[in-house]
Amino acid sequence: MDAWIDPLLNWLALPQYGLSSVFVVAFVSATLLPMGSEPAVFGLVQLNPHLFWPAIGVATLGNTLGGALTWWMGLASHKVVDRYQHSPHHLRALAWLEKLGPKACLLAWLPVVGDPLCAVAGWLKLPFWPCLVYMAIGKFARYLTMTAVLVGAFGG
């Protein structure tokens, strides 16, 4: 591996904290704050290959719980969004979400739109537990795929 990659991975993975760092980064990245958690997961796995599955599990749990927080924020912000309810984009998006229901939360892993999708699911009062299950499935698939691809591409 190139000499610059090891220090970068060491910094990204925060190995002195390990899985707890992955949990926190994954949790925060699932809120509406703009950040990604894949570098932390990849860095930890690169430095500790035996932690592949625990890192995937912890990242999935943290990101799913962050998605749940975003769902609750969406539920609480229902009144704020009322003033935008008549725009054509808003009405189309709401119709699509209402049609799909909790299954739309499978797309919670998507960059840019995934986290707001969780908030809108809460705002629409879609059932919490089914939404949470679909969020977890989508987020698990993302972490598994992204980490496996990165390890395959850059792994030792």
Side-chain angles (χ1 to χ4, degrees):
M1 200 177 287
D2 295 329
W4 63 273
I5 292 180
D6 282 331
L8 177 63
L9 291 177
N10 199 31
W11 180 78
L12 288 174
L14 302 171
Q16 64 270 32
Y17 303 107
L19 292 172
S20 60
S21 293
V22 167
F23 178 86
V24 170
V25 170
F27 181 89
V28 171
S29 73
T31 64
L32 296 176
L33 298 175
M35 68 181 294
S37 54
E38 289 83 2
V41 176
F42 173 64
L44 182 64
V45 169
Q46 276 299 103
L47 294 172
N48 303 292
H50 65 283
L51 291 179
F52 181 88
W53 287 109
I56 297 295
V58 167
T60 299
L61 178 64
N63 211 249
T64 301
L65 291 175
L69 174 65
T70 302
W71 185 95
W72 284 105
M73 289 170 28
L75 180 64
S77 66
H78 189 94
K79 290 181 183 177
V80 174
V81 179
D82 280 345
R83 68 180 193 191
Y84 299 109
Q85 69 185 5
H86 301 294
S87 79
H89 297 297
H90 175 81
L91 295 174
R92 255 192 322 243
L94 288 180
W96 179 79
L97 280 169
E98 288 173 338
K99 178 181 169 188
L100 284 179
K103 291 178 184 170
C105 290
L106 275 172
L107 301 175
W109 64 271
L110 288 171
V112 182
V113 298
D115 298 330
L117 178 66
C118 296
V120 174
W123 181 75
L124 289 173
K125 300 178 184 174
L126 296 179
F128 177 74
W129 291 110
C131 285
L132 191 68
V133 168
Y134 284 114
M135 279 184 232
I137 292 168
K139 290 170 183 292
F140 173 78
R142 176 191 74 194
Y143 281 115
L144 180 61
T145 303
M146 292 293 294
T147 305
V149 166
L150 289 170
V151 167
F154 300 106

